[in-house]
Amino acid sequence: MKHLYMITLGGKLPGGHSEIHDVQFVIAKDIEETYDVLRENWKGLDLKLHVDSYKALLGADGYEIKLSEKGLESSLKLFFVFAGGYDPKSMLEVHEAGLFVCESEDEAKIRVAKEMLQGMVQVHVDFVLDVSQATLLNKLQEGYIELVHTGKSYDQVPDWHGYHRIDTL
């Protein structure tokens, strides 16, 4: 059975002085099946590329996420939103990732101010992605995201988090 994985990668950029991170979406039968395509598409240095966390997404925002072999017409899309804000006591920008089911990118952006980075100042959207358009989504096998309204709450707590190098596999 295939799953839609949300995967956080960590690594380094040439000339950089700190670790950078990226989030990718891949359809695969298990997390190990994602490693080759993640390595192939990483834009940073190969050395010390690692998975920081992953989640097999079951749903988001009151909608079950199902994978289907053919696309269904729907005005709703699954948006990944990466937002930033500032804690006046910290040198670094604080980030939070969220998944929203909306009809448009603009609608997803409006929800950020209400639902993300509470207590931070200058909250802003760094990036919005229609997950069905993710670069790596269908590299391993064709598949489409179907959103089925359930009204259930789906958490985004990782299935696993830690430090798992994939540069040396």
Side-chain angles (χ1 to χ4, degrees):
M1 183 166 125
K2 300 279 184 181
H3 301 281
L4 172 60
Y5 284 93
M6 182 168 73
I7 305 159
T8 304
L9 297 172
K12 296 188 181 275
L13 286 177
H17 297 282
S18 63
E19 187 173 283
I20 62 161
H21 293 91
D22 193 22
V23 177
Q24 294 289 339
F25 295 86
V26 182
I27 293 173
K29 66 179 178 171
D30 56 42
I31 192 63
E32 289 80 12
E33 189 180 37
T34 70
Y35 296 161
D36 285 341
V37 72
L38 291 169
R39 278 192 300 271
E40 180 183 313
N41 288 279
W42 175 249
K43 304 301 183 207
L45 297 173
D46 293 338
L47 181 65
K48 294 189 179 178
L49 174 62
H50 60 278
V51 172
D52 281 315
S53 65
Y54 67 83
K55 171 87 174 167
L57 295 173
L58 302 176
D61 211 16
Y63 288 80
E64 181 181 0
I65 296 172
K66 290 186 169 188
L67 301 177
S68 62
E69 292 182 10
K70 54 184 171 180
L72 302 173
E73 290 297 320
S74 173
S75 62
L76 294 175
K77 297 177 182 178
L78 178 64
F79 288 98
F80 167 75
V81 179
F82 193 71
Y86 299 93
D87 176 346
K89 297 176 184 172
S90 176
M91 283 290 292
L92 300 176
E93 183 177 357
V94 177
H95 288 98
E96 189 175 326
L99 294 170
F100 298 110
V101 175
C102 302
E103 290 189 1
S104 70
E105 183 176 315
D106 288 339
E107 183 183 345
K109 287 179 180 179
I110 289 168
R111 291 184 58 190
V112 168
K114 297 176 188 172
E115 300 178 37
M116 296 176 74
L117 293 163
Q118 300 301 307
M120 296 294 116
V121 297
Q122 296 181 23
V123 172
H124 58 278
V125 175
D126 285 330
F127 189 77
V128 178
L129 173 71
D130 172 351
V131 175
S132 67
Q133 302 301 310
T135 305
L136 305 183
L137 188 63
N138 295 322
K139 284 265 188 178
L140 298 177
Q141 175 141 359
E142 288 294 319
Y144 297 92
I145 296 170
E146 181 182 340
L147 301 168
V148 179
H149 187 264
T150 62
K152 290 184 189 176
S153 177
Y154 295 93
D155 69 58
Q156 303 309 315
V157 175
D159 295 333
W160 179 89
H161 66 273
Y163 182 89
H164 178 70
R165 285 181 66 172
I166 64 171
D167 62 328
T168 57
L169 298 176

Short mmCIF file of all heavy atoms in Angstrom, two decimals, residues 1-4 27-28 57 64-74 132 137-138 141-148:
data_model
loop_
_atom_site.label_atom_id
_atom_site.label_comp_id
_atom_site.label_asym_id
_atom_site.label_seq_id
_atom_site.Cartn_x
_atom_site.Cartn_y
_atom_site.Cartn_z
N MET A 1 0.84 -1.18 0.00
CA MET A 1 0.00 0.00 0.00
C MET A 1 0.89 1.24 0.00
O MET A 1 1.85 1.34 0.76
CB MET A 1 -0.89 -0.01 1.24
CG MET A 1 -1.86 1.13 1.28
SD MET A 1 -3.12 0.83 2.52
CE MET A 1 -2.96 2.30 3.48
N LYS A 2 0.57 2.19 -0.84
CA LYS A 2 1.34 3.43 -0.94
C LYS A 2 0.80 4.47 0.04
O LYS A 2 -0.38 4.47 0.38
CB LYS A 2 1.24 4.00 -2.36
CG LYS A 2 1.77 3.08 -3.43
CD LYS A 2 3.26 3.17 -3.51
CE LYS A 2 3.76 2.31 -4.67
NZ LYS A 2 5.20 2.33 -4.77
N HIS A 3 1.71 5.34 0.48
CA HIS A 3 1.36 6.43 1.38
C HIS A 3 1.92 7.74 0.81
O HIS A 3 2.91 7.73 0.08
CB HIS A 3 1.99 6.23 2.77
CG HIS A 3 1.57 4.97 3.44
ND1 HIS A 3 0.36 4.83 4.08
CD2 HIS A 3 2.20 3.79 3.57
CE1 HIS A 3 0.27 3.61 4.57
NE2 HIS A 3 1.37 2.96 4.28
N LEU A 4 1.32 8.83 1.21
CA LEU A 4 1.87 10.15 0.92
C LEU A 4 2.71 10.52 2.14
O LEU A 4 2.19 10.68 3.24
CB LEU A 4 0.76 11.17 0.71
CG LEU A 4 1.21 12.63 0.59
CD1 LEU A 4 2.16 12.82 -0.60
CD2 LEU A 4 0.01 13.55 0.46
N ILE A 27 5.19 9.89 -2.72
CA ILE A 27 4.31 8.72 -2.62
C ILE A 27 5.20 7.49 -2.69
O ILE A 27 5.98 7.32 -3.63
CB ILE A 27 3.27 8.69 -3.75
CG1 ILE A 27 2.29 9.86 -3.60
CG2 ILE A 27 2.53 7.36 -3.76
CD1 ILE A 27 1.32 10.00 -4.77
N ALA A 28 5.11 6.62 -1.67
CA ALA A 28 5.93 5.42 -1.62
C ALA A 28 5.28 4.39 -0.71
O ALA A 28 4.41 4.72 0.08
CB ALA A 28 7.33 5.76 -1.11
N LEU A 57 1.02 10.71 5.75
CA LEU A 57 -0.15 11.56 5.96
C LEU A 57 -1.44 10.78 5.74
O LEU A 57 -1.69 10.26 4.65
CB LEU A 57 -0.09 12.75 5.00
CG LEU A 57 1.07 13.71 5.24
CD1 LEU A 57 1.13 14.76 4.14
CD2 LEU A 57 0.96 14.36 6.61
N GLU A 64 -9.70 13.27 4.90
CA GLU A 64 -8.85 12.10 4.74
C GLU A 64 -8.09 12.23 3.43
O GLU A 64 -8.65 12.68 2.42
CB GLU A 64 -9.69 10.83 4.73
CG GLU A 64 -8.87 9.57 4.59
CD GLU A 64 -9.71 8.31 4.57
OE1 GLU A 64 -10.97 8.40 4.66
OE2 GLU A 64 -9.13 7.23 4.45
N ILE A 65 -6.82 11.87 3.45
CA ILE A 65 -6.01 11.87 2.23
C ILE A 65 -5.97 10.45 1.69
O ILE A 65 -5.47 9.54 2.36
CB ILE A 65 -4.57 12.37 2.52
CG1 ILE A 65 -4.61 13.82 2.99
CG2 ILE A 65 -3.69 12.20 1.29
CD1 ILE A 65 -3.28 14.34 3.50
N LYS A 66 -6.52 10.29 0.51
CA LYS A 66 -6.48 8.99 -0.16
C LYS A 66 -5.67 9.14 -1.43
O LYS A 66 -5.65 10.21 -2.04
CB LYS A 66 -7.90 8.52 -0.52
CG LYS A 66 -8.73 8.14 0.66
CD LYS A 66 -10.04 7.55 0.20
CE LYS A 66 -10.77 6.92 1.37
NZ LYS A 66 -11.94 6.17 0.92
N LEU A 67 -5.03 8.07 -1.83
CA LEU A 67 -4.30 8.07 -3.09
C LEU A 67 -5.10 7.28 -4.10
O LEU A 67 -5.62 6.21 -3.80
CB LEU A 67 -2.91 7.44 -2.89
CG LEU A 67 -2.04 8.15 -1.85
CD1 LEU A 67 -0.72 7.40 -1.68
CD2 LEU A 67 -1.79 9.59 -2.24
N SER A 68 -5.22 7.83 -5.30
CA SER A 68 -5.98 7.15 -6.34
C SER A 68 -5.14 7.10 -7.61
O SER A 68 -4.18 7.83 -7.77
CB SER A 68 -7.31 7.84 -6.60
OG SER A 68 -7.11 9.16 -7.05
N GLU A 69 -5.51 6.21 -8.52
CA GLU A 69 -4.77 6.03 -9.76
C GLU A 69 -5.12 7.07 -10.81
O GLU A 69 -4.38 7.28 -11.74
CB GLU A 69 -5.00 4.63 -10.31
CG GLU A 69 -4.37 3.56 -9.42
CD GLU A 69 -4.55 2.17 -9.97
OE1 GLU A 69 -5.00 2.01 -11.13
OE2 GLU A 69 -4.23 1.23 -9.24
N LYS A 70 -6.28 7.69 -10.66
CA LYS A 70 -6.64 8.75 -11.60
C LYS A 70 -7.14 9.96 -10.83
O LYS A 70 -7.71 9.85 -9.75
CB LYS A 70 -7.66 8.28 -12.62
CG LYS A 70 -8.91 7.69 -12.05
CD LYS A 70 -9.79 7.18 -13.16
CE LYS A 70 -10.94 6.38 -12.58
NZ LYS A 70 -11.82 5.87 -13.59
N GLY A 71 -6.86 11.11 -11.40
CA GLY A 71 -7.24 12.35 -10.74
C GLY A 71 -8.73 12.61 -10.80
O GLY A 71 -9.37 12.32 -11.81
N LEU A 72 -9.27 13.13 -9.72
CA LEU A 72 -10.68 13.49 -9.67
C LEU A 72 -10.78 15.01 -9.66
O LEU A 72 -9.97 15.68 -9.03
CB LEU A 72 -11.34 12.92 -8.42
CG LEU A 72 -11.27 11.40 -8.25
CD1 LEU A 72 -11.79 11.01 -6.88
CD2 LEU A 72 -12.06 10.72 -9.34
N GLU A 73 -11.76 15.55 -10.33
CA GLU A 73 -11.96 16.99 -10.35
C GLU A 73 -12.50 17.46 -9.00
O GLU A 73 -13.47 16.91 -8.49
CB GLU A 73 -12.95 17.38 -11.47
CG GLU A 73 -12.39 17.20 -12.86
CD GLU A 73 -11.20 18.11 -13.14
OE1 GLU A 73 -11.22 19.29 -12.71
OE2 GLU A 73 -10.25 17.63 -13.77
N SER A 74 -11.83 18.44 -8.42
CA SER A 74 -12.26 19.01 -7.16
C SER A 74 -11.71 20.42 -7.07
O SER A 74 -10.60 20.69 -7.53
CB SER A 74 -11.75 18.18 -5.97
OG SER A 74 -12.05 18.84 -4.76
N SER A 132 -0.18 18.56 -4.65
CA SER A 132 -0.30 17.73 -5.86
C SER A 132 0.70 18.15 -6.94
O SER A 132 0.96 17.41 -7.87
CB SER A 132 -1.73 17.79 -6.42
OG SER A 132 -2.01 19.09 -6.90
N LEU A 137 6.57 14.26 -5.88
CA LEU A 137 5.38 13.50 -5.53
C LEU A 137 5.22 12.22 -6.33
O LEU A 137 5.00 11.16 -5.78
CB LEU A 137 4.14 14.38 -5.69
CG LEU A 137 2.84 13.79 -5.18
CD1 LEU A 137 2.89 13.56 -3.70
CD2 LEU A 137 1.70 14.72 -5.51
N ASN A 138 5.34 12.30 -7.62
CA ASN A 138 5.06 11.14 -8.45
C ASN A 138 6.30 10.56 -9.12
O ASN A 138 6.20 9.86 -10.11
CB ASN A 138 4.02 11.49 -9.51
CG ASN A 138 2.69 11.83 -8.87
OD1 ASN A 138 2.31 11.20 -7.90
ND2 ASN A 138 2.01 12.83 -9.38
N GLN A 141 6.01 6.57 -8.54
CA GLN A 141 4.86 5.90 -9.14
C GLN A 141 3.75 6.94 -9.32
O GLN A 141 3.57 7.81 -8.49
CB GLN A 141 4.36 4.78 -8.24
CG GLN A 141 3.10 4.14 -8.77
CD GLN A 141 3.09 2.65 -8.56
OE1 GLN A 141 4.03 2.09 -8.04
NE2 GLN A 141 2.03 2.01 -8.98
N GLU A 142 3.04 6.83 -10.41
CA GLU A 142 1.93 7.74 -10.63
C GLU A 142 0.91 7.60 -9.50
O GLU A 142 0.66 6.51 -9.01
CB GLU A 142 1.23 7.44 -11.96
CG GLU A 142 2.05 7.84 -13.17
CD GLU A 142 2.25 9.34 -13.28
OE1 GLU A 142 1.30 10.08 -13.03
OE2 GLU A 142 3.37 9.75 -13.60
N GLY A 143 0.36 8.70 -9.10
CA GLY A 143 -0.65 8.68 -8.06
C GLY A 143 -1.24 10.06 -7.89
O GLY A 143 -0.60 11.06 -8.22
N TYR A 144 -2.44 10.12 -7.41
CA TYR A 144 -3.14 11.38 -7.23
C TYR A 144 -3.69 11.45 -5.81
O TYR A 144 -4.03 10.44 -5.21
CB TYR A 144 -4.29 11.50 -8.23
CG TYR A 144 -3.82 11.53 -9.65
CD1 TYR A 144 -3.72 10.36 -10.39
CD2 TYR A 144 -3.45 12.72 -10.25
CE1 TYR A 144 -3.26 10.38 -11.70
CE2 TYR A 144 -3.00 12.75 -11.57
CZ TYR A 144 -2.91 11.58 -12.28
OH TYR A 144 -2.45 11.60 -13.58
N ILE A 145 -3.79 12.66 -5.32
CA ILE A 145 -4.34 12.90 -4.00
C ILE A 145 -5.83 13.14 -4.12
O ILE A 145 -6.27 13.97 -4.90
CB ILE A 145 -3.67 14.12 -3.36
CG1 ILE A 145 -2.18 13.86 -3.15
CG2 ILE A 145 -4.34 14.49 -2.04
CD1 ILE A 145 -1.41 15.09 -2.75
N GLU A 146 -6.58 12.40 -3.32
CA GLU A 146 -8.03 12.60 -3.24
C GLU A 146 -8.34 13.02 -1.81
O GLU A 146 -7.85 12.40 -0.86
CB GLU A 146 -8.73 11.28 -3.58
CG GLU A 146 -10.22 11.35 -3.57
CD GLU A 146 -10.86 10.00 -3.88
OE1 GLU A 146 -10.20 9.12 -4.45
OE2 GLU A 146 -12.04 9.84 -3.51
N LEU A 147 -9.12 14.07 -1.64
CA LEU A 147 -9.48 14.58 -0.33
C LEU A 147 -10.94 14.23 -0.04
O LEU A 147 -11.83 14.60 -0.80
CB LEU A 147 -9.28 16.10 -0.28
CG LEU A 147 -7.85 16.55 -0.56
CD1 LEU A 147 -7.81 18.06 -0.77
CD2 LEU A 147 -6.93 16.13 0.57
N VAL A 148 -11.15 13.51 1.05
CA VAL A 148 -12.50 13.06 1.41
C VAL A 148 -12.86 13.69 2.76
O VAL A 148 -12.18 13.44 3.77
CB VAL A 148 -12.56 11.51 1.51
CG1 VAL A 148 -13.95 11.07 1.92
CG2 VAL A 148 -12.13 10.88 0.20
#
